[in-house]
Structure formats: structure tokens, C-alpha cells
Amino acid sequence: ISNPQTGIWLARLVPLNLAGYNTMNYSLTSKFSISSQIIDTTPPSITLYTPSNTTYNNQTINLSFIVNENINQFVSCSRIVNETSTLLGSVSNGTNSSVTFNVPEGTHNVYVSCSDGANNAGNSSTVYFSVDSTPPNITFVSPSDSNNSFVNRTYTQITVNVNDASNIDKCVLEWNGTNTTMTKLGSGNS
């Protein structure tokens, strides 16, 4: 067969004698495929789902992503956190993948890089996130009434200093099961 078309072929071998007659009672049948050579120049496409561009209060971060590859069923992927690469291994094409990793408090960036069987490499977008797992420091200051004190009036004065590594958005006072937003004086981290 010269220049066969691509596809799945069925071949049958039947032994014949010199006169062209089938003198045996058996034949051999085999199925095989012929494929054209595929030149892959398209890198895998990676979509990063988590983490998000936000601040987390936990140092364990979930990394979830999906890889779409035009030819290969499996691709080799790595996660890159703060420019340090860690091999994740073989990832299945078109399947959601998820791993966790730990980072210290501070600002970080992460992306996923994958390469296919033709060594085409693709990267996800880079996500920038922060970790702040230390709670704010809250100190009652004067003229706050002392803890467990009794006052002979219909109000109480509560003044606090709040310090944190991150900007403080608001403080909420819970008084007898009712939440009240406190007034913030100043700006920034305290």
C-alpha cells in the first residue's frame, strides 16, 4: 500500500500457493492505525481559579487550576510561588486540579506553568495575595470605664487603640448581643 490515508485499517493475511490458490484453512487478521505526523506548536492554556487577589488569614493556601491542551492527555506542571518553582507532576488535560501550599505572613505571588509532550510551555496569569494570620492588638484606653465596674449613669465610654499589620477597615462593638460599628479616629493601621 503506498500513501495510505490516515485512520484505522484492517489487514488480512491469507497464505496462497504458487498457483494463487488458498491451500490452507486459516488466515491472520490484524487491526492497525496510520496517523499523519502532528506538529504541535501550541502551548497548554492554564486557568487559575484560586487563590484570589486578596488577603488570607491562614498560611495554608489552596491552588486550583485547569489545563487545556490541544493534543496530549497529560502535561507536566509546576507551581511558582515568589519565583520558586515546585514540580506538581503530571496533570490530566481538562480536569480541575487542586493542591495546597504554605507561605509565611506577607505579600506573595503565584502562577502555574505547564509543558506538553512537544515541550511547549504555557503559564497561567499571576495572582498577587497577602497572608495576615495575626489578629489585631486591641487595648482599652482612658476614658474607658474599668472592666467589671459599675457606673451610675445611662451610658458608658469605650475607647480602644487597635493596631494591626494591615489597614483596619472597621471595629464592631458587641454590646448585649447588639453589634455597633465604632467610630474610627485617624487612618491606617491604628
Side-chain angles (χ1 to χ4, degrees):
I1 301 175
S2 62
N3 297 322
Q5 293 182 357
T6 61
I8 298 177
W9 289 80
L10 186 63
R12 183 172 177 205
L13 177 65
V14 179
L16 303 175
N17 65 14
L18 292 176
Y21 296 108
N22 182 358
T23 58
M24 303 188 170
N25 291 330
Y26 70 92
S27 64
L28 177 65
T29 304
S30 179
K31 188 188 288 188
F32 65 95
S33 63
I34 297 175
S35 62
S36 61
Q37 182 178 5
I38 299 172
I39 298 174
D40 181 11
T41 60
T42 305
S45 170
I46 304 106
T47 302
L48 200 58
Y49 295 123
T50 61
S52 301
N53 293 313
T54 190
T55 299
Y56 293 92
N57 63 3
N58 190 324
Q59 294 177 338
T60 301
I61 303 297
N62 184 51
L63 175 70
S64 63
F65 61 96
I66 190 169
V67 178
N68 289 303
E69 163 58 17
N70 62 333
I71 294 176
N72 300 106
Q73 177 61 34
F74 295 96
V75 294
S76 178
C77 294
S78 297
R79 76 163 185 261
I80 296 83
V81 178
N82 301 329
E83 305 310 316
T84 300
S85 180
T86 302
L87 181 65
L88 299 174
S90 182
V91 174
S92 183
N93 180 28
T95 302
N96 289 330
S97 298
S98 182
V99 296
T100 59
F101 61 97
N102 292 314
V103 291
E105 289 197 10
T107 303
H108 306 281
N109 63 72
V110 63
Y111 66 94
V112 174
S113 180
C114 299
S115 60
D116 61 19
N119 290 322
N120 298 310
N123 295 332
S124 71
S125 59
T126 300
V127 173
Y128 298 88
F129 64 96
S130 298
V131 173
D132 179 8
S133 59
T134 303
N137 182 24
I138 302 171
T139 307
F140 287 88
V141 294
S142 180
S144 294
D145 293 321
S146 299
N147 196 21
N148 292 321
S149 64
F150 293 95
V151 293
N152 192 17
R153 60 184 185 270
T154 59
Y155 68 91
T156 187
Q157 176 79 27
I158 299 173
T159 305
V160 294
N161 279 340
V162 181
N163 292 298
D164 192 56
S166 301
N167 283 336
I168 298 168
D169 295 324
K170 66 180 177 179
C171 289
V172 177
L173 170 69
E174 181 186 341
W175 186 268
N176 290 331
T178 302
N179 291 334
T180 304
T181 301
M182 299 178 76
T183 302
K184 181 179 179 182
L185 302 176
S187 61
N189 300 356
S190 61

